[in-house]
Amino acid sequence: MTNPSQSEFLWFLQLSRDGEFIGTKTKPPRKPTLAYLQSLISAAGEAGFEALLTATNYHSEHENYTAAVAALARSAPTDPALLIAVRPGMFHPAMYAKMLATLQNLFPGRVRLNIVTGSSPAENAMYGDNEDHGKRYERTREFMQILRQLWTAPPPQSFRSDLYAFENAVLDPAPVQPIPLYFGGASPVAQEIAADLADVYLMWGEREDMLAERLNQMRALEAKTGRRLRYGLRTHVIVRETEAEARAAAERLISRVDPEVRAAFVASHAHVDGVGQKRQIDMMKGLDADLMVEPGLWAGVGMARSGVGVALIGSPEQVAAKIRRYEDMGFSSFIFSGYPHEEEARRFGELVMPLLKGAQSEERAIHTDRVAPVA
């Protein structure tokens, strides 16, 4: 392993309007122009983040692959990489394998892939995807298998199943560098796919006992497959000079949640069939008025945002200590975000990143080697 004590830290590339408040009826003021995307990428790089995640959902103003290509072309070769999200139901894997290989060859080392199966049938239907939960995961497995096949096996390659079929596909040249596969999902079938095919298994922030249970489940699968995964955690973050200031910033973030927006958001929960999203929804039930899930973890983002609804919260020292606890559990990849994204990336870089870099030790015996796909 290379530098086994070094966790990787990623930020979020906001492809929708950005601002200081969430859940408002009016759109946030900052548009996701190409200039803003490039500024956000540069800010994240200056803050010490090595990549940014792009989302893939109907809330985004931009289609994420197109935006990623434009942002990579606009940015400098030394800027952070992009972790590009894809829904397998939107592309044929043989074509998508070529698309990602092209990107990696044009922008060496700056392309990673996050496989998103999708948790809401209603949202999936907006893209023309009407498959149920089980069929979506069956498709995801084959999608990932085909990507690996075309990226690593000599051409031509063929594949045939009930879902996909192609004959004598030629992908040449292969990616100049391996493209790591990030993948998340809380259901048993998702965990099995991750154990077989992923490089990084992603989880949304939850209580530490919930995360520990899932890590134990994944390590049992690791023992069966003989593969070793890395574990990633996706949360928001609210950090200020003091805990009181961070709590005040959190309250301000949700201070303009519109009742109609909130009601529509809650109603949308009825259409969710993803286990991970249901866990986020259930975790918010019965919380006190401060919306604290446990020390250092706040659930207020889930008042008006789907996906991960929790944020690390506190002073720089408290946030860094919480991250070190996660590292001790076995996490070595962290994907953070905050509103507005450019300012919060810089704030994290100034307040927390120095504490994390100084705290890492080569004696820490956890899975923290740099991303390298596992055969």
Side-chain angles (χ1 to χ4, degrees), residues 56-309:
T56 171
N57 56 48
Y58 76 93
H59 304 292
S60 297
E61 295 187 22
H62 296 322
E63 187 279 316
N64 75 320
Y65 181 85
T66 305
V69 173
L72 287 168
R74 180 81 171 260
S75 58
T78 54
D79 278 340
L82 294 184
L83 174 55
I84 302 170
V86 63
R87 298 190 185 218
M90 300 301 105
F91 298 91
H92 192 287
M95 189 68 246
Y96 201 76
K98 180 67 172 180
M99 292 163 64
L100 266 288
T102 300
L103 269 191
Q104 187 74 309
N105 291 336
L106 291 175
F107 308 101
R110 298 188 62 204
V111 176
R112 308 175 186 188
L113 187 60
N114 180 34
I115 310 293
V116 178
T117 304
S119 62
S120 169
E123 182 179 348
N124 293 333
M126 293 180 181
Y127 297 95
D129 181 4
N130 297 295
E131 301 290 358
D132 63 21
H133 183 273
K135 183 62 71 173
R136 294 201 307 272
Y137 275 99
E138 181 184 350
R139 182 178 60 197
T140 291
R141 174 180 285 278
E142 292 194 8
F143 190 92
M144 295 171 72
Q145 288 174 333
I146 290 168
L147 293 184
R148 286 201 178 277
Q149 176 182 340
L150 292 176
W151 286 339
T152 60
Q157 289 292 315
S158 300
F159 186 93
R160 182 168 296 278
S161 74
D162 292 338
L163 295 175
Y164 297 116
F166 56 88
E167 298 290 338
N168 298 319
V170 175
L171 197 160
D172 186 27
V176 66
Q177 294 183 25
I179 300 174
L181 297 183
Y182 293 64
F183 176 68
S187 64
V189 65
Q191 292 178 319
E192 290 172 2
I193 293 171
D196 289 337
L197 294 166
D199 300 305
V200 181
Y201 176 64
L202 292 176
M203 305 182 207
W204 286 335
E206 298 178 332
R207 293 193 318 269
E208 289 184 15
D209 64 298
M210 298 169 68
L211 294 174
E213 179 183 22
R214 290 176 65 185
L215 285 169
N216 288 336
Q217 292 167 350
M218 290 305 302
R219 286 167 179 148
L221 290 172
E222 279 186 323
K224 291 181 179 179
T225 63
R227 299 180 72 244
R228 188 181 184 189
L229 300 176
R230 294 189 58 209
Y231 296 102
L233 190 67
R234 168 79 177 102
T235 75
H236 306 282
V237 62
I238 301 173
V239 60
R240 296 295 186 270
E241 293 284 355
T242 68
E243 180 181 5
E245 291 173 334
R247 292 289 190 95
E251 290 301 319
R252 184 173 185 272
L253 178 66
I254 60 173
S255 64
R256 299 185 185 179
V257 173
D258 185 271
E260 292 183 12
V261 173
R262 172 62 181 163
F265 183 70
V266 172
S268 72
H269 294 170
H271 304 294
V272 169
D273 71 353
V275 175
Q277 189 67 75
K278 289 180 178 179
R279 288 166 68 98
Q280 291 288 303
I281 295 168
D282 290 343
M283 192 168 53
M284 289 191 65
K285 296 176 180 178
L287 295 179
D288 293 336
D290 62 7
L291 299 178
M292 293 298 294
V293 175
E294 65 184 8
L297 193 67
W298 179 72
V301 180
M303 292 285 291
R305 187 192 186 282
S306 60
V308 61

Side-chain angles (χ1 to χ4, degrees), residues 14-16 31-34 37 55 57 60-64 67:
Q14 177 76 351
L15 299 182
S16 298
K31 296 180 180 180
T33 64
L34 185 55
L37 299 184
N57 56 48
S60 297
E61 295 187 22
H62 296 322
E63 187 279 316
N64 75 320

